Amino acid sequence: MAIRTCLDLGRPLIVPVSLTKSPPRNCKFSVQSCSLSSNQSHKQLVVEVKEKLGRDYHSLPVGKNGRDDEEMILWFLKDRRFSVEEAVSKLNKAIKWREEFRVSELSEESVKSIVDTGKAYVHDSLDVYGKPVLIVVASKHFPSEHDPVENEKLCVFLIEKALGKLVAGKEQILGIFDLRGFSTKNADLTYLTFLFDVFYYYYPKRLGQVLFVEAPFIFKPIWQVAKPLLRSNASLVRFCSVETVRKEYFTEETLPASFREKTL
């Protein structure tokens, strides 16, 4: 009786064909078309920035990391959310800084004296996420003894070296501050601020994460002062243990030698 009633009322027992019909064949191209359109738009913005840099800042150098470096322009556009004016302004400052700092002249030999302190280095292996790794050993940093200019050169040289190890599909690096053995004589707010400023202004969004490993109690007040100065980069910082570094960021084969030792 129930079935008969339903039929009498004209209620279909089968879902209408129109509701189960496959989407039009050309729908599958919509995402691809959108992606192509977006890429074309980005290319147009790159050209616009390049032309504006050439017109307004024609004295800037050209070539790799120069005013016509389209890869660099695109990266700064992404950082500035594709605002042409903001990208041009930030690129102008970054390219001038690279020229004044003589970044292209930095080499292993030019920073050898400060490299030999062992205070910072680029790890030979990538982390488990495919990121190059820049390690700072805070207990070997002595601001009262080391030339601050040499420290800055080492910092930039190692950033360039780490970025040179990027593999296809990867765009960021991992920074590790090994704070074991840190004391007040190693404290250097100026250097820490310089490091994060370099990433913020000249290597935007190249720093994927920063690990502060085994931070002692005396480091906490320094961090409270430094944190506001680091702007958005402060959100990249993670305080963690040596065990976390071992388990979450490296394999047994790629783990840095200093992290193989047991924490005292």
Side-chain angles (χ1 to χ4, degrees):
M1 292 293 293
I3 294 176
R4 184 178 300 164
T5 304
C6 287
L7 291 173
D8 292 342
L9 293 173
R11 295 173 183 167
L13 297 178
I14 301 175
V15 177
V17 175
S18 61
L19 295 181
T20 59
K21 190 182 296 183
S22 299
R25 290 173 61 186
N26 63 351
C27 280
K28 63 182 178 181
F29 297 113
S30 60
V31 174
Q32 184 179 357
S33 299
C34 180
S35 177
L36 288 172
S37 176
S38 178
N39 288 336
Q40 290 170 349
S41 175
H42 293 169
K43 287 180 180 179
Q44 290 171 355
L45 290 175
V46 167
V47 171
E48 190 175 338
V49 169
K50 184 164 67 171
E51 290 177 348
K52 190 169 180 58
L53 283 170
R55 183 172 60 252
D56 298 346
Y57 304 102
H58 60 275
S59 62
L60 292 174
V62 296
K64 185 172 175 56
N65 296 310
R67 59 178 169 81
D68 61 345
D69 185 333
E70 295 189 359
E71 184 179 349
M72 183 181 185
I73 290 172
L74 179 59
W75 190 259
F76 275 72
L77 272 168
K78 289 178 181 178
D79 173 60
R80 296 292 87 194
R81 298 182 180 182
F82 294 96
S83 165
V84 169
E85 292 299 326
E86 290 184 23
V88 166
S89 177
K90 198 165 185 178
L91 274 162
N92 174 44
K93 292 176 183 177
I95 296 170
K96 281 182 178 177
W97 170 80
R98 293 185 66 88
E99 193 173 29
E100 293 167 359
F101 201 87
R102 298 185 177 180
V103 175
S104 63
E105 297 177 21
L106 295 176
S107 66
E108 200 85 42
E109 188 59 34
S110 68
V111 294
K112 187 177 185 306
S113 62
I114 201 76
V115 165
D116 289 345
T117 64
K119 69 165 68 181
Y121 61 96
V122 174
H123 185 42
D124 292 335
S125 302
L126 306 177
D127 71 2
V128 294
Y129 304 103
K131 293 187 180 74
V133 184
L134 198 169
I135 299 175
V136 176
V137 184
S139 63
K140 295 182 179 182
H141 177 68
F142 299 101
S144 62
E145 299 176 18
H146 300 155
D147 183 345
V149 174
E150 292 302 306
N151 285 335
E152 292 178 0
K153 287 182 180 179
L154 175 63
C155 169
V156 176
F157 170 73
L158 292 179
I159 292 173
E160 288 281 321
K161 184 176 180 178
L163 291 175
K165 290 171 67 70
L166 286 171
V167 296
K170 301 297 179 181
E171 300 175 327
Q172 297 180 317
I173 68 176
L174 171 69
I176 298 179
F177 281 80
D178 185 351
L179 295 170
R180 290 173 293 177
F182 177 88
S183 67
T184 53
K185 62 185 178 183
N186 307 121
D188 191 350
L189 187 60
T190 300
Y191 182 68
L192 186 63
T193 304
F194 171 81
L195 175 60
F196 280 90
D197 273 354
V198 164
F199 274 110
Y200 181 83
Y201 289 110
Y202 313 128
Y203 300 95
K205 289 185 169 51
R206 289 300 193 184
L207 192 58
Q209 189 173 30
V210 180
L211 305 181
F212 281 179
V213 185
E214 303 289 356
F217 180 78
I218 59 171
F219 182 77
K220 300 300 171 67
I222 296 173
W223 172 241
Q224 291 306 313
V225 175
K227 188 176 180 180
L229 302 175
L230 307 187
R231 304 177 185 83
S232 58
N233 281 324
S235 64
L236 303 177
V237 173
R238 178 186 183 186
F239 285 83
C240 67
S241 65
V242 168
E243 195 63 18
T244 298
V245 174
R246 290 172 180 159
K247 290 184 175 180
E248 296 186 22
Y249 293 89
F250 297 95
T251 64
E252 184 61 32
E253 293 72 27
T254 62
L255 185 66
S258 60
F259 290 97
R260 297 178 186 277
E261 304 166 6
K262 292 184 178 179
T263 307
L264 299 177

